[in-house]
Amino acid sequence: MDPHPVLRWPVPRHVAQSIPLASLASLVAIAAFAMALPAPAQTPSEPVVTGDVPMADYLALLQQISPAVHQGAQAYLQAHERRCRRSLSSRELRQAMAEGDGDPLLMAMIRASHLQDGPGLTRLGEQVSCTRKAAR
Protein backbone atom coordinates (compact mmCIF):
# COMPACT_ATOMS: atom_id res chain seq x y z
CA MET A 1 0.00 0.00 0.00
CA ASP A 2 1.34 3.41 -1.01
CA PRO A 3 1.88 5.60 2.11
CA HIS A 4 1.37 8.74 -0.03
CA PRO A 5 -1.59 8.01 -2.33
CA VAL A 6 -2.28 11.73 -2.84
CA LEU A 7 0.98 12.09 -4.74
CA ARG A 8 -0.32 9.86 -7.54
CA TRP A 9 -3.07 12.31 -8.55
CA PRO A 10 -2.30 14.41 -11.63
CA VAL A 11 -1.42 17.78 -10.13
CA PRO A 12 0.82 20.17 -12.06
CA ARG A 13 4.38 20.04 -10.71
CA HIS A 14 4.53 23.82 -10.12
CA VAL A 15 1.39 23.55 -7.98
CA ALA A 16 2.53 20.47 -6.10
CA GLN A 17 5.90 21.99 -5.23
CA SER A 18 4.53 25.20 -3.75
CA ILE A 19 1.39 24.13 -1.91
CA PRO A 20 1.41 22.25 1.42
CA LEU A 21 0.17 18.66 1.34
CA ALA A 22 -3.14 19.61 3.01
CA SER A 23 -3.84 22.14 0.25
CA LEU A 24 -2.81 19.64 -2.39
CA ALA A 25 -5.31 17.20 -0.89
CA SER A 26 -7.92 19.94 -1.21
CA LEU A 27 -7.20 20.26 -4.92
CA VAL A 28 -7.62 16.52 -5.29
CA ALA A 29 -10.93 16.68 -3.41
CA ILE A 30 -12.16 19.39 -5.78
CA ALA A 31 -11.25 17.33 -8.82
CA ALA A 32 -12.97 14.31 -7.26
CA PHE A 33 -16.10 16.38 -6.62
CA ALA A 34 -16.07 17.64 -10.19
CA MET A 35 -15.83 14.09 -11.47
CA ALA A 36 -18.40 12.64 -9.06
CA LEU A 37 -21.31 14.47 -10.61
CA PRO A 38 -23.35 12.56 -13.22
CA ALA A 39 -21.52 12.11 -16.48
CA PRO A 40 -22.05 9.94 -19.57
CA ALA A 41 -19.63 7.18 -20.51
CA GLN A 42 -16.13 8.56 -20.86
CA THR A 43 -12.67 7.52 -21.83
CA PRO A 44 -10.04 7.41 -19.07
CA SER A 45 -7.97 10.11 -20.76
CA GLU A 46 -10.80 12.61 -21.28
CA PRO A 47 -13.07 13.22 -18.28
CA VAL A 48 -16.47 14.56 -19.23
CA VAL A 49 -18.27 16.84 -16.80
CA THR A 50 -21.95 17.30 -17.49
CA GLY A 51 -24.81 18.90 -15.66
CA ASP A 52 -24.75 22.20 -13.93
CA VAL A 53 -24.91 23.01 -10.25
CA PRO A 54 -25.53 26.56 -9.10
CA MET A 55 -22.28 28.53 -9.26
CA ALA A 56 -22.87 29.89 -5.74
CA ASP A 57 -23.04 26.32 -4.40
CA TYR A 58 -19.87 25.28 -6.20
CA LEU A 59 -17.98 28.36 -5.03
CA ALA A 60 -19.21 27.78 -1.46
CA LEU A 61 -17.81 24.24 -1.65
CA LEU A 62 -14.47 25.58 -2.91
CA GLN A 63 -14.39 28.07 -0.01
CA GLN A 64 -14.93 25.24 2.49
CA ILE A 65 -12.22 23.11 0.92
CA SER A 66 -9.60 25.81 0.39
CA PRO A 67 -9.82 29.61 0.44
CA ALA A 68 -6.95 29.83 -2.08
CA VAL A 69 -8.77 27.56 -4.54
CA HIS A 70 -11.93 29.62 -4.07
CA GLN A 71 -10.08 32.93 -4.63
CA GLY A 72 -8.20 31.61 -7.65
CA ALA A 73 -11.39 30.26 -9.20
CA GLN A 74 -13.20 33.55 -8.60
CA ALA A 75 -10.34 35.51 -10.16
CA TYR A 76 -10.44 33.14 -13.16
CA LEU A 77 -14.21 33.61 -13.50
CA GLN A 78 -13.93 37.40 -13.27
CA ALA A 79 -11.08 37.53 -15.79
CA HIS A 80 -13.04 35.34 -18.21
CA GLU A 81 -16.12 37.53 -17.91
CA ARG A 82 -14.08 40.72 -18.35
CA ARG A 83 -12.10 39.45 -21.36
CA CYS A 84 -14.75 37.31 -23.06
CA ARG A 85 -17.87 39.24 -22.09
CA ARG A 86 -19.63 36.11 -20.88
CA SER A 87 -19.77 34.16 -17.65
CA LEU A 88 -18.54 30.62 -17.36
CA SER A 89 -21.03 28.04 -16.12
CA SER A 90 -20.19 25.91 -13.11
CA ARG A 91 -19.95 22.95 -15.52
CA GLU A 92 -17.25 24.79 -17.51
CA LEU A 93 -15.37 25.72 -14.33
CA ARG A 94 -15.58 22.14 -13.01
CA GLN A 95 -14.31 20.86 -16.34
CA ALA A 96 -11.40 23.34 -16.25
CA MET A 97 -10.53 21.93 -12.80
CA ALA A 98 -10.86 18.28 -13.80
CA GLU A 99 -9.48 17.86 -17.33
CA GLY A 100 -5.98 16.42 -17.42
CA ASP A 101 -3.90 18.26 -14.82
CA GLY A 102 -6.45 21.06 -14.81
CA ASP A 103 -6.40 24.18 -16.95
CA PRO A 104 -2.80 25.41 -16.47
CA LEU A 105 -3.90 29.04 -16.24
CA LEU A 106 -6.55 28.24 -13.61
CA MET A 107 -4.00 26.21 -11.63
CA ALA A 108 -1.52 29.11 -11.86
CA MET A 109 -4.21 31.52 -10.62
CA ILE A 110 -4.93 29.21 -7.68
CA ARG A 111 -1.21 29.13 -6.90
CA ALA A 112 -0.98 32.94 -7.11
CA SER A 113 -3.95 33.18 -4.72
CA HIS A 114 -2.25 30.75 -2.34
CA LEU A 115 0.93 32.85 -2.45
CA GLN A 116 -1.14 36.05 -2.10
CA ASP A 117 0.49 37.36 -5.29
CA GLY A 118 -1.98 40.05 -6.39
CA PRO A 119 0.16 41.41 -9.26
CA GLY A 120 0.77 37.87 -10.52
CA LEU A 121 -2.95 37.10 -10.34
CA THR A 122 -3.66 40.24 -12.37
CA ARG A 123 -1.06 39.30 -15.01
CA LEU A 124 -2.49 35.79 -15.25
CA GLY A 125 -6.00 37.19 -15.63
CA GLU A 126 -4.85 39.02 -18.76
CA GLN A 127 -3.95 35.65 -20.33
CA VAL A 128 -7.43 34.10 -20.05
CA SER A 129 -8.48 32.73 -23.43
CA CYS A 130 -12.02 32.88 -24.76
CA THR A 131 -11.56 29.69 -26.78
CA ARG A 132 -11.77 26.31 -25.09
CA LYS A 133 -8.60 24.22 -25.29
CA ALA A 134 -8.71 20.43 -25.57
CA ALA A 135 -7.73 18.35 -22.55
CA ARG A 136 -4.04 17.47 -22.29
Side-chain angles (χ1 to χ4, degrees), residues 2-77:
D2 186 351
H4 302 291
V6 171
L7 300 178
R8 291 189 289 161
W9 281 85
V11 176
R13 177 167 278 135
H14 68 277
V15 173
Q17 290 174 341
S18 66
I19 297 179
L21 189 56
S23 295
L24 187 58
S26 297
L27 289 174
V28 171
I30 291 166
F33 172 75
M35 297 305 296
L37 296 171
Q42 54 194 354
T43 64
S45 64
E46 293 187 31
V48 177
V49 178
T50 62
D52 227 351
V53 296
M55 183 64 80
D57 292 349
Y58 187 63
L59 290 174
L61 174 68
L62 296 181
Q63 178 64 36
Q64 289 177 359
I65 293 172
S66 168
V69 172
H70 175 260
Q71 291 165 358
Q74 279 198 311
Y76 183 82
L77 290 169

Side-chain angles (χ1 to χ4, degrees), residues 62 66-73 109-111 113-115:
L62 296 181
S66 168
V69 172
H70 175 260
Q71 291 165 358
M109 291 179 86
I110 290 170
R111 179 176 183 262
S113 292
H114 173 73
L115 297 174

Side-chain angles (χ1 to χ4, degrees), residues 30-31 58 62 69 73 93-99 102 106-107 110:
I30 291 166
Y58 187 63
L62 296 181
V69 172
L93 179 59
R94 290 182 359 252
Q95 195 156 3
M97 290 265 191
E99 283 185 336
L106 173 57
M107 295 300 120
I110 290 170

